[in-house]
Amino acid sequence: MWSIQNLLFIFCISLRCLTSAVGMIHVTGYVGREVNVSCSYEQSYVSHEKYLCKNDCGNSDVLITTSQASKTKYSIYDDTSARIFTTTIFDLQYTDAGKYWCGVTKTGTDIYTEVKLKLVQDRCCDTVTKVQSYEGHSESVSCRYESQYQNSLKYICRGNRPSTCLQQALITSDTKQNARFRLDDDKVLGTFTVTISNLTRNDSGSYLCGVHRNSELDVFSAVELKIEEWCCVKSTKINGTAGHPLTLQCPYPPQHWDNRKFLCKGDHRNNCSDMVTSRSRFTLQDDAASSSFTVRITELEAADGGTYWCGSDSQWRVGNYTKIELSVFLQHTRKIPDAALYVLYTVPPVLLLMCLLVTVYKNRSSRVNEADDTMSRNTPKEKNIEEVMGAAESGIYKNQEVVMTYVQQKVCKDGGGDEGVYEIMTAVATEDIYCNENFHKANRR
């Protein structure tokens, strides 16, 4: 028969097991980060002190209590409404891994809940899915998950640090759409897909697909996205003349013989306008035998200059289009030489001035002749006058020849200048006028 002492021993052992190991809590944390250890308790212990301890949970093993609030490495918070107290351990190191106890102080033996803490590196993952795309394109990233996580929160973030991924998520299954990012969850296939539109080179890098789990670390899969420059299989520069026709040549892959061919204009293919359907001056002719098509512009206009894209793939995949830089010039006009301009603009005034001098001289000569007839001067004097007048007229014509010769030399030699020509003409004209005036004054005496 069992003695009373044996029965009491068994009873005490059973009671300790019930009070000290209500349940095992498994917690996993990332090295260098923090982790939360949450433990629940009954309503009757709301006002009791709670604490976290390690190893055998002796007095020296107590790490923090609710009466201490916080320490450098630990903090504790008691949510009495939810009857859960949570201890946070900061700056985790591998030495922090091991067994802990959540304790509730009471009369007699305290209530304990065992906690198992496991630490892992804050990185992911051993397997990486690589995705390549191009600038301006849209790309979809598919992330698989297990069937038990159908209703769990899904998300994606940049980088490879699982500890901060959810806080820095670009989009989650709750929001579904966020700017350039869209998330679609196919629960039947167990796959959620994130689509990124209008890609740029800055979108290149590491991404993590995450599935949230309440009691354990989230599940992740890694993706490496590489965005390459959207560039041409062929790029060419063409010159044309306004008012003349021009033909553009566009090759395409042989397998696209049945695709719709197009030519559009714009600085980038995302904002280019179809020219063949909207412009009657543009006509397209396909030659499947040579795997190319031509676009003829019947009469170029100055506004036709710019960047064109021709291809046979509406999806704008690399290698299926041609970039054309078209420059349009106006028709060539002959430029008048500078020397000719000087002759054109300076000679007529010179001729006009010479005509004016000759007219003044003839008028004055007529008056002198009339005066001589009425006064009946002697013949020698008249002869002298005629000689003087002949000499004057000869001088004027000689001056005219000198002026014209100077102008021609000035123009032919160095282009001359308007100021130089006018200075010479003014000097000559003034001298001739003064000479004529002196001549007439002498005859009046």
Side-chain angles (χ1 to χ4, degrees):
M1 293 181 63
W2 290 87
S3 65
I4 295 176
Q5 288 183 339
N6 290 336
L7 290 173
L8 288 173
F9 177 78
I10 294 172
F11 177 77
C12 289
I13 293 297
S14 301
L15 181 62
R16 180 173 177 81
C17 291
L18 289 173
T19 58
S20 64
V22 174
M24 177 79 71
I25 299 176
H26 292 274
V27 179
T28 304
Y30 296 104
V31 175
R33 308 299 297 177
E34 66 272 358
V35 70
N36 293 324
V37 179
S38 298
C39 303
S40 60
Y41 55 86
E42 296 180 2
Q43 178 66 37
S44 56
Y45 300 117
V46 168
S47 59
H48 289 229
E49 184 185 55
K50 290 85 179 177
Y51 59 90
L52 182 73
C53 59
K54 196 175 182 182
N55 299 325
D56 295 333
C57 215
N59 291 333
S60 61
D61 295 326
V62 175
L63 303 173
I64 191 170
T65 69
T66 51
S67 59
Q68 292 175 308
S70 66
K71 291 183 177 181
T72 302
K73 191 175 177 67
Y74 307 94
S75 69
I76 192 168
Y77 172 72
D78 186 10
D79 186 351
T80 56
S81 61
R83 300 193 306 277
I84 296 174
F85 72 95
T86 301
T87 303
T88 303
I89 307 175
F90 301 98
D91 190 24
L92 290 169
Q93 303 301 320
Y94 281 113
T95 55
D96 294 321
K99 183 171 62 174
Y100 291 80
W101 299 91
C102 286
V104 178
T105 303
K106 75 177 186 63
T107 304
T109 305
D110 292 349
I111 300 175
Y112 296 98
T113 303
E114 186 177 359
V115 178
K116 196 75 171 179
L117 176 59
K118 178 182 177 182
L119 296 181
V120 296
Q121 286 286 347
D122 190 13
R123 61 179 178 82
C124 182
C125 301
D126 294 334
T127 303
V128 179
T129 301
K130 295 185 177 181
V131 178
Q132 179 177 319
S133 190
Y134 299 90
E135 287 181 311
H137 285 207
S138 295
E139 193 63 47
S140 296
V141 177
S142 297
C143 310
R144 294 190 61 81
Y145 58 86
E146 297 180 5
S147 58
Q148 63 264 35
Y149 303 127
Q150 285 184 349
N151 299 320
S152 299
L153 180 72
K154 287 87 176 179
Y155 57 94
I156 191 170
C157 68
R158 295 202 65 165
N160 57 2
R161 297 187 63 177
S163 62
T164 58
C165 189
L166 180 57
Q167 292 80 4
Q168 300 175 357
L170 299 170
I171 190 173
T172 69
S173 54
D174 287 343
T175 55
K176 296 183 180 180
Q177 182 76 43
N178 181 22
R180 295 186 298 121
F181 297 86
R182 188 182 78 249
L183 191 151
D184 299 300
D185 186 9
D186 189 337
K187 296 181 180 180
V188 176
L189 296 177
T191 302
F192 72 91
T193 302
V194 177
T195 303
I196 311 174
S197 60
N198 196 22
L199 289 166
T200 67
R201 298 289 291 278
N202 293 331
D203 291 320
S204 296
S206 300
Y207 292 79
L208 288 180
C209 298
V211 178
H212 183 60
R213 298 190 294 180
N214 294 323
S215 58
E216 299 179 67
L217 291 179
D218 294 352
V219 180
F220 295 98
S221 58
V223 176
E224 186 72 23
L225 181 60
K226 183 179 181 181
I227 307 301
E228 294 186 351
E229 181 182 3
W230 191 78
C231 188
C232 318
V233 65
K234 182 180 179 182
S235 182
T236 183
K237 293 183 178 181
I238 297 178
N239 297 331
T241 304
H244 289 245
L246 181 69
T247 300
L248 306 178
Q249 190 78 20
C250 301
Y252 59 82
Q255 62 269 25
H256 290 180
W257 67 273
D258 198 31
N259 290 16
R260 188 185 78 86
K261 315 307 184 299
F262 62 88
L263 175 78
C264 65
K265 181 183 180 183
D267 293 334
H268 195 273
R269 59 97 180 175
N270 284 341
N271 60 1
C272 66
S273 303
D274 195 324
M275 302 300 293
V276 176
T277 58
S278 59
R279 302 292 191 280
S280 58
R281 294 183 297 110
F282 291 70
T283 56
L284 186 151
Q285 184 174 359
D286 188 12
D287 183 6
S290 63
S291 296
S292 67
F293 66 91
T294 59
V295 176
R296 179 178 172 80
I297 309 174
T298 56
E299 186 176 346
L300 275 177
E301 298 177 356
D304 292 332
T307 303
Y308 291 82
W309 310 88
C310 59
S312 57
D313 184 2
S314 60
Q315 298 300 316
W316 291 93
R317 283 182 281 265
V318 173
N320 298 328
Y321 56 91
T322 301
K323 179 181 179 181
I324 299 174
E325 296 285 352
L326 175 61
S327 299
V328 179
F329 297 94
L330 299 178
Q331 293 192 36
H332 180 71
T333 56
R334 186 176 179 181
K335 183 178 180 181
I336 301 176
D338 292 340
L341 289 176
Y342 279 116
V343 173
L344 179 65
Y345 289 106
T346 60
V347 171
V350 171
L351 295 177
L352 180 62
L353 182 58
M354 296 307 299
C355 292
L356 178 61
L357 290 175
V358 172
T359 302
V360 171
Y361 166 74
K362 288 183 177 181
N363 289 337
R364 290 184 179 274
S365 297
S366 299
R367 294 194 191 100
V368 171
N369 291 334
E370 291 175 358
D372 290 342
D373 291 340
T374 55
M375 294 175 64
S376 300
R377 303 272 183 182
N378 54 36
T379 303
K381 196 171 185 178
E382 290 179 358
K383 182 177 181 181
N384 291 336
I385 292 174
E386 290 178 358
E387 291 176 354
V388 172
M389 291 296 292
E393 184 175 357
S394 175
I396 290 175
Y397 285 117
K398 287 181 180 179
N399 287 339
Q400 180 180 354
E401 292 176 357
V402 171
V403 172
M404 290 304 294
T405 301
Y406 173 78
V407 172
Q408 292 172 354
Q409 292 176 350
K410 186 68 174 174
V411 171
C412 296
K413 182 178 181 181
D414 55 7
D418 293 343
E419 294 180 359
V421 174
Y422 288 130
E423 287 176 1
I424 294 299
M425 292 304 304
T426 302
V428 173
T430 304
E431 182 178 355
D432 288 342
I433 291 173
Y434 282 141
C435 289
N436 290 333
E437 286 183 353
N438 292 333
F439 171 77
H440 290 300
K441 287 179 180 179
N443 283 287
R444 291 194 192 100
R445 293 173 185 173

